[in-house]
Amino acid sequence: MAWAAAGAQEFRVDLIQLDPWAKPNPDPGRKGKEAYVGIVADLLNEFERRSGHSTVRTLTPYARVERDLQLGDTDFSIMAWGEARAAYANRGTAFVPLDFGVKARKGVRLRSYEDLRQIVVAAPRGLKVDPRFDVDADVRKELLVDYTQAIRMTIAQRDAKAVAGSLSSLGHIIHKLGLEDEFGDVLVLNTTYLTVAFSKKSPLLASEAQVNAIFKTIVDDGTAKKIYERWMFPTSN
């Protein structure tokens, strides 16, 4: 390919440690790039196949991905875009739209934003849900390690009565756990996109346009959507 002929490069990429975006391969014998699976891993595999470039991948907690982008310790990540990220990263190719919001435990009223002020909401630590929600001190939040822990706390009849985050990710994990009947009202707070976030301090910033162009071919021919749907809405567990 023309891109490969121009000289292969190696990009450092953080993989957000959230199911189904990226997680350890269930086969413990897999090493290197095969050590992780998920939507982002498959997008990177396709990027490498089409470009001739390579990626060094690190499975990283959500909050640390932002730190690594700020410092230039990673070249880019693939994540839900939030405007606060524009201070340290450039928004690149958009893959799929993503709704963010809150899912309440069955029997808990959640029809408007004001209803959030009456309950405790569980969410992964560092996750950006919605600009208003994220900084609203009047909405009580229980910050946890990941979606699975937040979901389990919400249905355990403890303080939290709802869980916040990417609604597709929450739906995916709730389905895998067989807990659909435990949840009721849903409140959409924000719609954004899964995008390339390229660090402004990356030493490979000059290659940003080329990286985005390669990912755009993955979007334009429908491959990105197929990867997303295969992981997010699997035909069987």
Side-chain angles (χ1 to χ4, degrees), residues 84-112:
R85 199 159 290 128
Y88 52 84
N90 295 325
R91 174 176 173 166
T93 297
F95 297 97
V96 292
L98 299 172
D99 286 336
F100 278 71
V102 183
K103 292 176 74 75
R105 196 166 67 201
K106 185 168 287 186
V108 175
R109 179 184 173 85
L110 186 56
R111 305 294 173 81
S112 70

Side-chain angles (χ1 to χ4, degrees), residues 35-76:
Y36 311 121
V37 297
I39 294 170
V40 175
D42 280 1
L43 288 171
L44 292 175
N45 291 341
E46 191 66 19
F47 168 81
E48 291 188 354
R49 187 184 71 79
R50 297 188 186 207
S51 68
H53 298 314
S54 61
T55 57
V56 176
R57 309 173 191 185
T58 304
L59 193 64
T60 309
Y62 186 96
R64 205 171 78 208
V65 174
E66 294 191 319
R67 170 193 168 278
D68 289 349
L69 287 169
Q70 289 171 350
L71 297 177
D73 288 345
T74 190
D75 296 307
F76 67 86

Side-chain angles (χ1 to χ4, degrees), residues 137-150:
D138 291 332
V139 177
R140 293 169 293 166
K141 306 175 185 77
E142 183 74 32
L143 302 180
L144 302 162
V145 173
D146 56 26
Y147 279 132
T148 299
Q149 189 177 26

